[in-house]
Amino acid sequence: TGLPKAAVISHMQVLKGAAGLWAFGATAEDIIYITLPLYHSAASLLGIGGCIELGATCVLKKKFSASQFWSDCKKYNVTVIQYIGELCRYLCSQPVKEGEKNHKVRLAVGNGLRNDVWREFLDRFGAIKICEFYGATEGNICFMNHTGKIGSVGRTNFFYKLFFPFDLIKYDFQKDEPIRNKHGWCEKVKKGEAGLLISKVNAKNPFFGYAGNKRHTEKKLLCEVFKKGDRYFNTGDLMVQDHENFLYFWDRIGDTFRWKGENVATTEVSDVIVMLDFIQEANVYGVSVPDHDGKAGMASLILKQNTPLDLEQLYKQVVTYLPRYAYPLFLRVQEKMEMTGTFKQQKFRLVDEGFNPSAITDPLYFLDNSKKAYVLLTKEVHEMILSGKMKL
């Protein structure tokens, strides 16, 4: 979402954030292990604030270490851990050790946990209750998954919406704005459809915006959404609500791109690719191709140690599990993935660099439909794509 912005946090928001551990069932007897950076609200408000709120013990690690994580948990008798999705994936990527389930951790509180990692984490590290939640530092909405339903960020009902009025609305990915009907109003999506999550701004759920940055503050507000004078906080996140009212994170609006007239969710594509046992990580994004509408899918891949890239298996996986418009047309194999301080994948530079073999030293591959295979993206192939001789 660009450079970090300083969010204004009221005392009330601090208290709400600090109540998160309590809401998931943590008590004063718990020992809480925090390895996340403290400039992140999850660690500072929910973690440290939560320990103060409960009067619980806090074990604060200077820096996250995947190799020392479980030995620290045993050493300090940790009962509650804080995570963000990538942190759990790093733990699952560690070599299997004897006695990995031999610890006292009963709760894991955090967000952004991928379905496959969620399952692997439980299988490998024991009966830990995963408490997945959704929230933004500056936002006025949050969801909490109390039931442990895999993949969900929480569940809504009539009473919840009384306290936290929110909606999922239709979004135009090409214009990068909410869709408005002929009367100028936004429209809600049906259950099962992805929509932009917006939350009503009122006295009970205020939005304080960003410190000294009026432009960014106004950008996050949607006005005249369903009626005159209403105001909503735009989370920038696409969500799906199923028929049982469970909510699922779908993608960020900046990450979703449009190709062949269809919306492609980067998370859906990367989830399919990382199912392959030789792929460590997949960062999916859209790149512009001259004389083509929308953006073509591209995936930056990190391979697992000492494992070769199996292009045949990768092709099979993509065509089996993804709709045709979501196939990544370009692949880039990198040594390591660029991450933010909170373990989020960096995409800006990758999008800018595109798929030009003259400018990129990493190996590049192209999905050649005529050969039904991924082939090496040479300068000749690149020129054929740009000139339109190669069909996408």
mmCIF file of all heavy atoms in Angstrom, residues 115 134 143 149-156 166-169 173 188-198 235-252 256 263 265 267-268:
data_model
loop_
_atom_site.group_PDB
_atom_site.id
_atom_site.type_symbol
_atom_site.label_atom_id
_atom_site.label_comp_id
_atom_site.label_asym_id
_atom_site.label_seq_id
_atom_site.Cartn_x
_atom_site.Cartn_y
_atom_site.Cartn_z
ATOM 1 N N ASN A 115 -4.588 -21.151 4.301
ATOM 2 C CA ASN A 115 -5.234 -22.429 4.611
ATOM 3 C C ASN A 115 -4.263 -23.597 4.721
ATOM 4 O O ASN A 115 -4.328 -24.388 5.664
ATOM 5 C CB ASN A 115 -6.281 -22.781 3.541
ATOM 6 C CG ASN A 115 -7.459 -21.827 3.557
ATOM 7 O OD1 ASN A 115 -7.408 -20.784 4.213
ATOM 8 N ND2 ASN A 115 -8.511 -22.153 2.860
ATOM 9 N N TYR A 134 -9.118 -10.177 11.950
ATOM 10 C CA TYR A 134 -8.896 -9.218 10.870
ATOM 11 C C TYR A 134 -9.009 -7.820 11.469
ATOM 12 O O TYR A 134 -9.920 -7.544 12.268
ATOM 13 C CB TYR A 134 -9.951 -9.378 9.762
ATOM 14 C CG TYR A 134 -9.923 -8.214 8.786
ATOM 15 C CD1 TYR A 134 -9.039 -8.197 7.721
ATOM 16 C CD2 TYR A 134 -10.731 -7.093 8.984
ATOM 17 C CE1 TYR A 134 -8.956 -7.112 6.866
ATOM 18 C CE2 TYR A 134 -10.661 -6.001 8.132
ATOM 19 C CZ TYR A 134 -9.778 -6.013 7.074
ATOM 20 O OH TYR A 134 -9.687 -4.926 6.235
ATOM 21 N N PHE A 143 -12.754 -8.318 12.858
ATOM 22 C CA PHE A 143 -13.455 -9.608 12.930
ATOM 23 C C PHE A 143 -12.580 -10.564 13.722
ATOM 24 O O PHE A 143 -11.346 -10.462 13.676
ATOM 25 C CB PHE A 143 -13.694 -10.193 11.528
ATOM 26 C CG PHE A 143 -14.522 -9.326 10.626
ATOM 27 C CD1 PHE A 143 -13.966 -8.773 9.475
ATOM 28 C CD2 PHE A 143 -15.849 -9.057 10.918
ATOM 29 C CE1 PHE A 143 -14.712 -7.966 8.638
ATOM 30 C CE2 PHE A 143 -16.609 -8.245 10.082
ATOM 31 C CZ PHE A 143 -16.049 -7.704 8.944
ATOM 32 N N LYS A 149 -12.520 -22.124 12.507
ATOM 33 C CA LYS A 149 -12.835 -22.551 11.131
ATOM 34 C C LYS A 149 -11.678 -22.150 10.215
ATOM 35 O O LYS A 149 -11.342 -20.975 10.101
ATOM 36 C CB LYS A 149 -14.139 -21.908 10.657
ATOM 37 C CG LYS A 149 -14.497 -22.324 9.231
ATOM 38 C CD LYS A 149 -15.979 -22.306 8.978
ATOM 39 C CE LYS A 149 -16.273 -22.595 7.529
ATOM 40 N NZ LYS A 149 -17.006 -23.801 7.316
ATOM 41 N N ILE A 150 -11.079 -23.133 9.567
ATOM 42 C CA ILE A 150 -9.866 -22.903 8.776
ATOM 43 C C ILE A 150 -10.127 -21.930 7.619
ATOM 44 O O ILE A 150 -11.084 -22.088 6.871
ATOM 45 C CB ILE A 150 -9.291 -24.241 8.266
ATOM 46 C CG1 ILE A 150 -8.716 -25.026 9.459
ATOM 47 C CG2 ILE A 150 -8.211 -24.030 7.206
ATOM 48 C CD1 ILE A 150 -8.190 -26.391 9.153
ATOM 49 N N GLY A 151 -9.288 -20.905 7.525
ATOM 50 C CA GLY A 151 -9.366 -19.945 6.429
ATOM 51 C C GLY A 151 -10.200 -18.711 6.723
ATOM 52 O O GLY A 151 -10.083 -17.701 6.042
ATOM 53 N N SER A 152 -11.046 -18.779 7.754
ATOM 54 C CA SER A 152 -11.968 -17.664 8.012
ATOM 55 C C SER A 152 -11.358 -16.646 8.977
ATOM 56 O O SER A 152 -10.593 -17.003 9.871
ATOM 57 C CB SER A 152 -13.273 -18.211 8.605
ATOM 58 O OG SER A 152 -14.113 -17.145 9.009
ATOM 59 N N VAL A 153 -11.733 -15.358 8.785
ATOM 60 C CA VAL A 153 -11.278 -14.313 9.714
ATOM 61 C C VAL A 153 -12.325 -14.020 10.775
ATOM 62 O O VAL A 153 -12.127 -13.188 11.652
ATOM 63 C CB VAL A 153 -10.909 -12.993 8.973
ATOM 64 C CG1 VAL A 153 -9.733 -13.194 8.054
ATOM 65 C CG2 VAL A 153 -12.106 -12.431 8.212
ATOM 66 N N GLY A 154 -13.462 -14.703 10.689
ATOM 67 C CA GLY A 154 -14.513 -14.489 11.680
ATOM 68 C C GLY A 154 -15.897 -14.694 11.092
ATOM 69 O O GLY A 154 -16.035 -15.086 9.928
ATOM 70 N N ARG A 155 -16.874 -14.431 11.914
ATOM 71 C CA ARG A 155 -18.261 -14.655 11.500
ATOM 72 C C ARG A 155 -19.092 -13.452 11.898
ATOM 73 O O ARG A 155 -18.848 -12.838 12.935
ATOM 74 C CB ARG A 155 -18.789 -15.905 12.211
ATOM 75 C CG ARG A 155 -20.036 -16.491 11.596
ATOM 76 C CD ARG A 155 -20.403 -17.770 12.341
ATOM 77 N NE ARG A 155 -21.413 -18.532 11.614
ATOM 78 C CZ ARG A 155 -21.890 -19.692 12.021
ATOM 79 N NH1 ARG A 155 -21.437 -20.232 13.139
ATOM 80 N NH2 ARG A 155 -22.808 -20.324 11.321
ATOM 81 N N THR A 156 -20.068 -13.124 11.082
ATOM 82 C CA THR A 156 -20.923 -11.982 11.411
ATOM 83 C C THR A 156 -22.344 -12.460 11.702
ATOM 84 O O THR A 156 -22.718 -13.570 11.340
ATOM 85 C CB THR A 156 -20.925 -10.945 10.263
ATOM 86 O OG1 THR A 156 -21.715 -9.824 10.650
ATOM 87 C CG2 THR A 156 -21.486 -11.534 8.969
ATOM 88 N N PHE A 166 -20.986 -2.813 8.671
ATOM 89 C CA PHE A 166 -20.069 -2.936 7.543
ATOM 90 C C PHE A 166 -20.831 -3.510 6.351
ATOM 91 O O PHE A 166 -21.928 -4.056 6.492
ATOM 92 C CB PHE A 166 -18.882 -3.852 7.896
ATOM 93 C CG PHE A 166 -19.239 -5.318 7.904
ATOM 94 C CD1 PHE A 166 -19.126 -6.089 6.759
ATOM 95 C CD2 PHE A 166 -19.722 -5.920 9.053
ATOM 96 C CE1 PHE A 166 -19.472 -7.430 6.755
ATOM 97 C CE2 PHE A 166 -20.067 -7.268 9.063
ATOM 98 C CZ PHE A 166 -19.948 -8.020 7.917
ATOM 99 N N ASP A 167 -20.244 -3.380 5.162
ATOM 100 C CA ASP A 167 -20.834 -3.971 3.952
ATOM 101 C C ASP A 167 -19.726 -4.404 3.013
ATOM 102 O O ASP A 167 -18.589 -3.911 3.093
ATOM 103 C CB ASP A 167 -21.745 -2.959 3.240
ATOM 104 C CG ASP A 167 -23.101 -2.833 3.939
ATOM 105 O OD1 ASP A 167 -23.875 -3.804 3.868
ATOM 106 O OD2 ASP A 167 -23.337 -1.791 4.575
ATOM 107 N N LEU A 168 -20.067 -5.316 2.099
ATOM 108 C CA LEU A 168 -19.171 -5.713 1.013
ATOM 109 C C LEU A 168 -19.789 -5.204 -0.277
ATOM 110 O O LEU A 168 -20.927 -5.562 -0.598
ATOM 111 C CB LEU A 168 -19.017 -7.246 0.963
ATOM 112 C CG LEU A 168 -18.471 -7.927 2.223
ATOM 113 C CD1 LEU A 168 -18.429 -9.431 2.043
ATOM 114 C CD2 LEU A 168 -17.085 -7.410 2.573
ATOM 115 N N ILE A 169 -19.081 -4.335 -0.990
ATOM 116 C CA ILE A 169 -19.661 -3.695 -2.180
ATOM 117 C C ILE A 169 -18.913 -4.077 -3.456
ATOM 118 O O ILE A 169 -17.752 -4.478 -3.415
ATOM 119 C CB ILE A 169 -19.718 -2.149 -2.019
ATOM 120 C CG1 ILE A 169 -18.303 -1.567 -1.799
ATOM 121 C CG2 ILE A 169 -20.652 -1.747 -0.887
ATOM 122 C CD1 ILE A 169 -18.226 -0.052 -1.909
ATOM 123 N N PHE A 173 -12.226 -3.209 -11.022
ATOM 124 C CA PHE A 173 -10.768 -3.343 -10.903
ATOM 125 C C PHE A 173 -10.013 -2.565 -11.973
ATOM 126 O O PHE A 173 -8.858 -2.222 -11.789
ATOM 127 C CB PHE A 173 -10.372 -4.823 -10.949
ATOM 128 C CG PHE A 173 -10.949 -5.587 -9.795
ATOM 129 C CD1 PHE A 173 -12.106 -6.336 -9.942
ATOM 130 C CD2 PHE A 173 -10.365 -5.517 -8.553
ATOM 131 C CE1 PHE A 173 -12.657 -7.011 -8.872
ATOM 132 C CE2 PHE A 173 -10.907 -6.188 -7.476
ATOM 133 C CZ PHE A 173 -12.048 -6.943 -7.628
ATOM 134 N N LYS A 188 -24.297 -3.652 -3.003
ATOM 135 C CA LYS A 188 -23.739 -4.756 -2.204
ATOM 136 C C LYS A 188 -23.597 -6.006 -3.074
ATOM 137 O O LYS A 188 -24.370 -6.212 -4.003
ATOM 138 C CB LYS A 188 -24.662 -5.060 -1.020
ATOM 139 C CG LYS A 188 -24.800 -3.887 -0.054
ATOM 140 C CD LYS A 188 -25.868 -4.139 1.001
ATOM 141 C CE LYS A 188 -26.143 -2.850 1.778
ATOM 142 N NZ LYS A 188 -27.131 -3.004 2.825
ATOM 143 N N VAL A 189 -22.594 -6.833 -2.744
ATOM 144 C CA VAL A 189 -22.415 -8.096 -3.472
ATOM 145 C C VAL A 189 -23.298 -9.172 -2.836
ATOM 146 O O VAL A 189 -23.751 -9.031 -1.700
ATOM 147 C CB VAL A 189 -20.938 -8.580 -3.467
ATOM 148 C CG1 VAL A 189 -20.036 -7.620 -4.192
ATOM 149 C CG2 VAL A 189 -20.434 -8.819 -2.042
ATOM 150 N N LYS A 190 -23.535 -10.242 -3.592
ATOM 151 C CA LYS A 190 -24.289 -11.379 -3.051
ATOM 152 C C LYS A 190 -23.353 -12.226 -2.199
ATOM 153 O O LYS A 190 -22.134 -12.148 -2.310
ATOM 154 C CB LYS A 190 -24.825 -12.251 -4.196
ATOM 155 C CG LYS A 190 -25.858 -11.574 -5.074
ATOM 156 C CD LYS A 190 -26.474 -12.631 -6.030
ATOM 157 C CE LYS A 190 -27.372 -11.957 -7.051
ATOM 158 N NZ LYS A 190 -26.690 -11.725 -8.326
ATOM 159 N N LYS A 191 -23.934 -13.100 -1.370
ATOM 160 C CA LYS A 191 -23.123 -14.026 -0.570
ATOM 161 C C LYS A 191 -22.332 -14.922 -1.525
ATOM 162 O O LYS A 191 -22.856 -15.354 -2.539
ATOM 163 C CB LYS A 191 -24.013 -14.866 0.341
ATOM 164 C CG LYS A 191 -24.464 -14.099 1.575
ATOM 165 C CD LYS A 191 -25.199 -14.971 2.561
ATOM 166 C CE LYS A 191 -25.607 -14.139 3.774
ATOM 167 N NZ LYS A 191 -26.364 -14.913 4.757
ATOM 168 N N GLY A 192 -21.083 -15.169 -1.178
ATOM 169 C CA GLY A 192 -20.236 -15.998 -2.036
ATOM 170 C C GLY A 192 -19.444 -15.197 -3.058
ATOM 171 O O GLY A 192 -18.540 -15.723 -3.696
ATOM 172 N N GLU A 193 -19.786 -13.893 -3.230
ATOM 173 C CA GLU A 193 -19.055 -13.025 -4.176
ATOM 174 C C GLU A 193 -18.054 -12.161 -3.418
ATOM 175 O O GLU A 193 -18.321 -11.743 -2.296
ATOM 176 C CB GLU A 193 -20.033 -12.086 -4.904
ATOM 177 C CG GLU A 193 -20.803 -12.724 -6.038
ATOM 178 C CD GLU A 193 -21.731 -11.704 -6.712
ATOM 179 O OE1 GLU A 193 -21.545 -10.487 -6.529
ATOM 180 O OE2 GLU A 193 -22.650 -12.143 -7.411
ATOM 181 N N ALA A 194 -16.926 -11.869 -4.057
ATOM 182 C CA ALA A 194 -15.928 -10.996 -3.428
ATOM 183 C C ALA A 194 -16.361 -9.544 -3.549
ATOM 184 O O ALA A 194 -16.800 -9.104 -4.610
ATOM 185 C CB ALA A 194 -14.574 -11.190 -4.091
ATOM 186 N N GLY A 195 -16.253 -8.817 -2.455
ATOM 187 C CA GLY A 195 -16.610 -7.399 -2.464
ATOM 188 C C GLY A 195 -15.656 -6.597 -1.600
ATOM 189 O O GLY A 195 -14.964 -7.147 -0.735
ATOM 190 N N LEU A 196 -15.603 -5.291 -1.832
ATOM 191 C CA LEU A 196 -14.749 -4.401 -1.051
ATOM 192 C C LEU A 196 -15.368 -4.197 0.329
ATOM 193 O O LEU A 196 -16.540 -3.833 0.446
ATOM 194 C CB LEU A 196 -14.616 -3.052 -1.778
ATOM 195 C CG LEU A 196 -13.864 -1.947 -1.034
ATOM 196 C CD1 LEU A 196 -12.391 -2.298 -0.856
ATOM 197 C CD2 LEU A 196 -13.996 -0.613 -1.771
ATOM 198 N N LEU A 197 -14.574 -4.438 1.372
ATOM 199 C CA LEU A 197 -15.068 -4.260 2.745
ATOM 200 C C LEU A 197 -15.026 -2.782 3.110
ATOM 201 O O LEU A 197 -13.974 -2.147 3.056
ATOM 202 C CB LEU A 197 -14.196 -5.065 3.718
ATOM 203 C CG LEU A 197 -14.485 -4.850 5.205
ATOM 204 C CD1 LEU A 197 -15.868 -5.367 5.596
ATOM 205 C CD2 LEU A 197 -13.410 -5.514 6.066
ATOM 206 N N ILE A 198 -16.200 -2.256 3.468
ATOM 207 C CA ILE A 198 -16.281 -0.866 3.946
ATOM 208 C C ILE A 198 -16.999 -0.864 5.297
ATOM 209 O O ILE A 198 -17.846 -1.710 5.558
ATOM 210 C CB ILE A 198 -17.018 0.057 2.933
ATOM 211 C CG1 ILE A 198 -18.447 -0.455 2.651
ATOM 212 C CG2 ILE A 198 -16.225 0.206 1.647
ATOM 213 C CD1 ILE A 198 -19.322 0.523 1.877
ATOM 214 N N THR A 235 -11.476 -0.107 3.579
ATOM 215 C CA THR A 235 -10.371 -0.939 4.088
ATOM 216 C C THR A 235 -9.339 -1.253 3.001
ATOM 217 O O THR A 235 -8.196 -1.569 3.312
ATOM 218 C CB THR A 235 -10.899 -2.274 4.640
ATOM 219 O OG1 THR A 235 -11.485 -3.017 3.551
ATOM 220 C CG2 THR A 235 -11.913 -2.064 5.751
ATOM 221 N N GLY A 236 -9.784 -1.226 1.727
ATOM 222 C CA GLY A 236 -8.885 -1.623 0.643
ATOM 223 C C GLY A 236 -8.755 -3.131 0.524
ATOM 224 O O GLY A 236 -7.939 -3.638 -0.238
ATOM 225 N N ASP A 237 -9.590 -3.862 1.267
ATOM 226 C CA ASP A 237 -9.537 -5.326 1.254
ATOM 227 C C ASP A 237 -10.796 -5.922 0.657
ATOM 228 O O ASP A 237 -11.904 -5.439 0.907
ATOM 229 C CB ASP A 237 -9.367 -5.877 2.679
ATOM 230 C CG ASP A 237 -8.007 -5.553 3.263
ATOM 231 O OD1 ASP A 237 -7.029 -5.605 2.499
ATOM 232 O OD2 ASP A 237 -7.920 -5.236 4.459
ATOM 233 N N LEU A 238 -10.600 -6.965 -0.124
ATOM 234 C CA LEU A 238 -11.732 -7.690 -0.715
ATOM 235 C C LEU A 238 -12.019 -8.916 0.138
ATOM 236 O O LEU A 238 -11.097 -9.641 0.519
ATOM 237 C CB LEU A 238 -11.383 -8.116 -2.143
ATOM 238 C CG LEU A 238 -11.159 -6.946 -3.098
ATOM 239 C CD1 LEU A 238 -10.301 -7.375 -4.262
ATOM 240 C CD2 LEU A 238 -12.476 -6.381 -3.587
ATOM 241 N N MET A 239 -13.294 -9.090 0.461
ATOM 242 C CA MET A 239 -13.691 -10.213 1.319
ATOM 243 C C MET A 239 -14.839 -10.965 0.685
ATOM 244 O O MET A 239 -15.558 -10.429 -0.168
ATOM 245 C CB MET A 239 -14.166 -9.692 2.678
ATOM 246 C CG MET A 239 -13.078 -9.076 3.488
ATOM 247 S SD MET A 239 -12.918 -9.965 5.014
ATOM 248 C CE MET A 239 -11.605 -9.089 5.774
ATOM 249 N N VAL A 240 -15.028 -12.201 1.149
ATOM 250 C CA VAL A 240 -16.171 -13.014 0.732
ATOM 251 C C VAL A 240 -16.906 -13.457 1.986
ATOM 252 O O VAL A 240 -16.282 -13.847 2.969
ATOM 253 C CB VAL A 240 -15.705 -14.263 -0.065
ATOM 254 C CG1 VAL A 240 -16.883 -15.172 -0.385
ATOM 255 C CG2 VAL A 240 -14.996 -13.860 -1.347
ATOM 256 N N GLN A 241 -18.239 -13.354 1.943
ATOM 257 C CA GLN A 241 -19.066 -13.862 3.057
ATOM 258 C C GLN A 241 -19.829 -15.079 2.549
ATOM 259 O O GLN A 241 -20.509 -14.996 1.522
ATOM 260 C CB GLN A 241 -20.044 -12.775 3.517
ATOM 261 C CG GLN A 241 -20.877 -13.182 4.719
ATOM 262 C CD GLN A 241 -21.751 -12.041 5.223
ATOM 263 O OE1 GLN A 241 -21.382 -10.868 5.111
ATOM 264 N NE2 GLN A 241 -22.908 -12.363 5.771
ATOM 265 N N ASP A 242 -19.671 -16.214 3.232
ATOM 266 C CA ASP A 242 -20.349 -17.424 2.746
ATOM 267 C C ASP A 242 -21.769 -17.522 3.301
ATOM 268 O O ASP A 242 -22.230 -16.638 4.036
ATOM 269 C CB ASP A 242 -19.515 -18.686 3.036
ATOM 270 C CG ASP A 242 -19.462 -19.070 4.518
ATOM 271 O OD1 ASP A 242 -20.234 -18.493 5.322
ATOM 272 O OD2 ASP A 242 -18.649 -19.952 4.871
ATOM 273 N N HIS A 243 -22.474 -18.612 2.958
ATOM 274 C CA HIS A 243 -23.887 -18.741 3.347
ATOM 275 C C HIS A 243 -24.069 -19.022 4.836
ATOM 276 O O HIS A 243 -25.171 -18.914 5.350
ATOM 277 C CB HIS A 243 -24.569 -19.806 2.482
ATOM 278 C CG HIS A 243 -24.707 -19.352 1.053
ATOM 279 N ND1 HIS A 243 -25.708 -18.491 0.645
ATOM 280 C CD2 HIS A 243 -23.942 -19.563 -0.046
ATOM 281 C CE1 HIS A 243 -25.564 -18.219 -0.643
ATOM 282 N NE2 HIS A 243 -24.494 -18.868 -1.092
ATOM 283 N N GLU A 244 -22.976 -19.341 5.522
ATOM 284 C CA GLU A 244 -23.046 -19.506 6.985
ATOM 285 C C GLU A 244 -22.562 -18.241 7.694
ATOM 286 O O GLU A 244 -22.383 -18.236 8.908
ATOM 287 C CB GLU A 244 -22.180 -20.695 7.418
ATOM 288 C CG GLU A 244 -22.680 -22.046 6.950
ATOM 289 C CD GLU A 244 -21.719 -23.147 7.389
ATOM 290 O OE1 GLU A 244 -21.657 -23.444 8.594
ATOM 291 O OE2 GLU A 244 -21.011 -23.687 6.512
ATOM 292 N N ASN A 245 -22.343 -17.174 6.912
ATOM 293 C CA ASN A 245 -21.901 -15.869 7.412
ATOM 294 C C ASN A 245 -20.459 -15.837 7.919
ATOM 295 O O ASN A 245 -20.075 -14.925 8.654
ATOM 296 C CB ASN A 245 -22.849 -15.321 8.492
ATOM 297 C CG ASN A 245 -24.214 -15.023 7.906
ATOM 298 O OD1 ASN A 245 -24.323 -14.590 6.763
ATOM 299 N ND2 ASN A 245 -25.265 -15.273 8.670
ATOM 300 N N PHE A 246 -19.654 -16.837 7.523
ATOM 301 C CA PHE A 246 -18.218 -16.767 7.801
ATOM 302 C C PHE A 246 -17.596 -15.833 6.764
ATOM 303 O O PHE A 246 -18.012 -15.816 5.603
ATOM 304 C CB PHE A 246 -17.561 -18.147 7.699
ATOM 305 C CG PHE A 246 -17.775 -18.997 8.923
ATOM 306 C CD1 PHE A 246 -18.721 -20.011 8.921
ATOM 307 C CD2 PHE A 246 -17.035 -18.782 10.081
ATOM 308 C CE1 PHE A 246 -18.923 -20.799 10.048
ATOM 309 C CE2 PHE A 246 -17.226 -19.561 11.218
ATOM 310 C CZ PHE A 246 -18.176 -20.576 11.203
ATOM 311 N N LEU A 247 -16.598 -15.076 7.184
ATOM 312 C CA LEU A 247 -15.927 -14.123 6.296
ATOM 313 C C LEU A 247 -14.517 -14.607 5.980
ATOM 314 O O LEU A 247 -13.826 -15.149 6.844
ATOM 315 C CB LEU A 247 -15.849 -12.745 6.968
ATOM 316 C CG LEU A 247 -17.215 -12.055 7.088
ATOM 317 C CD1 LEU A 247 -17.295 -11.261 8.368
ATOM 318 C CD2 LEU A 247 -17.473 -11.158 5.894
ATOM 319 N N TYR A 248 -14.111 -14.383 4.722
ATOM 320 C CA TYR A 248 -12.791 -14.828 4.260
ATOM 321 C C TYR A 248 -12.103 -13.683 3.538
ATOM 322 O O TYR A 248 -12.713 -13.027 2.689
ATOM 323 C CB TYR A 248 -12.931 -16.010 3.283
ATOM 324 C CG TYR A 248 -13.631 -17.203 3.894
ATOM 325 C CD1 TYR A 248 -15.027 -17.277 3.898
ATOM 326 C CD2 TYR A 248 -12.898 -18.240 4.470
ATOM 327 C CE1 TYR A 248 -15.681 -18.355 4.477
ATOM 328 C CE2 TYR A 248 -13.552 -19.331 5.039
ATOM 329 C CZ TYR A 248 -14.935 -19.381 5.043
ATOM 330 O OH TYR A 248 -15.584 -20.453 5.617
ATOM 331 N N PHE A 249 -10.823 -13.464 3.872
ATOM 332 C CA PHE A 249 -10.036 -12.469 3.153
ATOM 333 C C PHE A 249 -9.774 -13.009 1.743
ATOM 334 O O PHE A 249 -9.400 -14.172 1.581
ATOM 335 C CB PHE A 249 -8.702 -12.228 3.871
ATOM 336 C CG PHE A 249 -7.780 -11.293 3.138
ATOM 337 C CD1 PHE A 249 -7.960 -9.929 3.211
ATOM 338 C CD2 PHE A 249 -6.735 -11.780 2.359
ATOM 339 C CE1 PHE A 249 -7.119 -9.057 2.522
ATOM 340 C CE2 PHE A 249 -5.889 -10.929 1.669
ATOM 341 C CZ PHE A 249 -6.086 -9.560 1.758
ATOM 342 N N TRP A 250 -9.977 -12.176 0.709
ATOM 343 C CA TRP A 250 -9.818 -12.610 -0.689
ATOM 344 C C TRP A 250 -8.554 -12.028 -1.311
ATOM 345 O O TRP A 250 -7.747 -12.733 -1.875
ATOM 346 C CB TRP A 250 -11.065 -12.218 -1.484
ATOM 347 C CG TRP A 250 -11.246 -12.960 -2.762
ATOM 348 C CD1 TRP A 250 -11.495 -14.291 -2.903
ATOM 349 C CD2 TRP A 250 -11.210 -12.428 -4.094
ATOM 350 N NE1 TRP A 250 -11.624 -14.619 -4.236
ATOM 351 C CE2 TRP A 250 -11.455 -13.493 -4.986
ATOM 352 C CE3 TRP A 250 -11.014 -11.147 -4.620
ATOM 353 C CZ2 TRP A 250 -11.498 -13.319 -6.366
ATOM 354 C CZ3 TRP A 250 -11.055 -10.970 -5.986
ATOM 355 C CH2 TRP A 250 -11.304 -12.051 -6.849
ATOM 356 N N ASP A 251 -8.377 -10.701 -1.192
ATOM 357 C CA ASP A 251 -7.190 -10.047 -1.753
ATOM 358 C C ASP A 251 -7.198 -8.563 -1.402
ATOM 359 O O ASP A 251 -8.211 -8.028 -0.943
ATOM 360 C CB ASP A 251 -7.178 -10.198 -3.287
ATOM 361 C CG ASP A 251 -5.762 -10.348 -3.847
ATOM 362 O OD1 ASP A 251 -4.803 -10.290 -3.062
ATOM 363 O OD2 ASP A 251 -5.624 -10.547 -5.062
ATOM 364 N N ARG A 252 -6.058 -7.908 -1.625
ATOM 365 C CA ARG A 252 -5.986 -6.442 -1.537
ATOM 366 C C ARG A 252 -6.422 -5.879 -2.886
ATOM 367 O O ARG A 252 -6.117 -6.472 -3.929
ATOM 368 C CB ARG A 252 -4.544 -5.985 -1.281
ATOM 369 C CG ARG A 252 -3.963 -6.360 0.045
ATOM 370 C CD ARG A 252 -4.373 -5.481 1.182
ATOM 371 N NE ARG A 252 -4.149 -4.054 0.953
ATOM 372 C CZ ARG A 252 -4.788 -3.098 1.634
ATOM 373 N NH1 ARG A 252 -5.689 -3.408 2.525
ATOM 374 N NH2 ARG A 252 -4.539 -1.833 1.409
ATOM 375 N N THR A 256 -5.200 -7.349 -6.748
ATOM 376 C CA THR A 256 -6.087 -7.997 -7.720
ATOM 377 C C THR A 256 -5.940 -7.283 -9.065
ATOM 378 O O THR A 256 -5.870 -6.062 -9.123
ATOM 379 C CB THR A 256 -7.554 -7.900 -7.243
ATOM 380 O OG1 THR A 256 -7.649 -8.583 -6.005
ATOM 381 C CG2 THR A 256 -8.505 -8.543 -8.220
ATOM 382 N N ASN A 263 -11.522 -10.968 -13.110
ATOM 383 C CA ASN A 263 -10.711 -10.510 -11.988
ATOM 384 C C ASN A 263 -9.864 -11.665 -11.442
ATOM 385 O O ASN A 263 -10.394 -12.729 -11.142
ATOM 386 C CB ASN A 263 -11.610 -9.992 -10.857
ATOM 387 C CG ASN A 263 -12.520 -8.891 -11.347
ATOM 388 O OD1 ASN A 263 -12.109 -8.078 -12.166
ATOM 389 N ND2 ASN A 263 -13.748 -8.864 -10.873
ATOM 390 N N ALA A 265 -7.458 -12.967 -8.460
ATOM 391 C CA ALA A 265 -6.999 -12.750 -7.078
ATOM 392 C C ALA A 265 -5.610 -13.372 -6.936
ATOM 393 O O ALA A 265 -5.434 -14.562 -7.136
ATOM 394 C CB ALA A 265 -7.959 -13.383 -6.092
ATOM 395 N N THR A 267 -3.867 -13.996 -4.373
ATOM 396 C CA THR A 267 -3.778 -14.992 -3.294
ATOM 397 C C THR A 267 -4.224 -16.365 -3.785
ATOM 398 O O THR A 267 -3.637 -17.381 -3.421
ATOM 399 C CB THR A 267 -4.638 -14.575 -2.089
ATOM 400 O OG1 THR A 267 -5.929 -14.198 -2.558
ATOM 401 C CG2 THR A 267 -4.032 -13.425 -1.330
ATOM 402 N N GLU A 268 -5.263 -16.390 -4.616
ATOM 403 C CA GLU A 268 -5.783 -17.668 -5.129
ATOM 404 C C GLU A 268 -4.709 -18.372 -5.982
ATOM 405 O O GLU A 268 -4.484 -19.576 -5.858
ATOM 406 C CB GLU A 268 -7.040 -17.420 -5.979
ATOM 407 C CG GLU A 268 -7.703 -18.696 -6.484
ATOM 408 C CD GLU A 268 -8.805 -18.436 -7.523
ATOM 409 O OE1 GLU A 268 -9.127 -17.270 -7.800
ATOM 410 O OE2 GLU A 268 -9.316 -19.427 -8.050
#
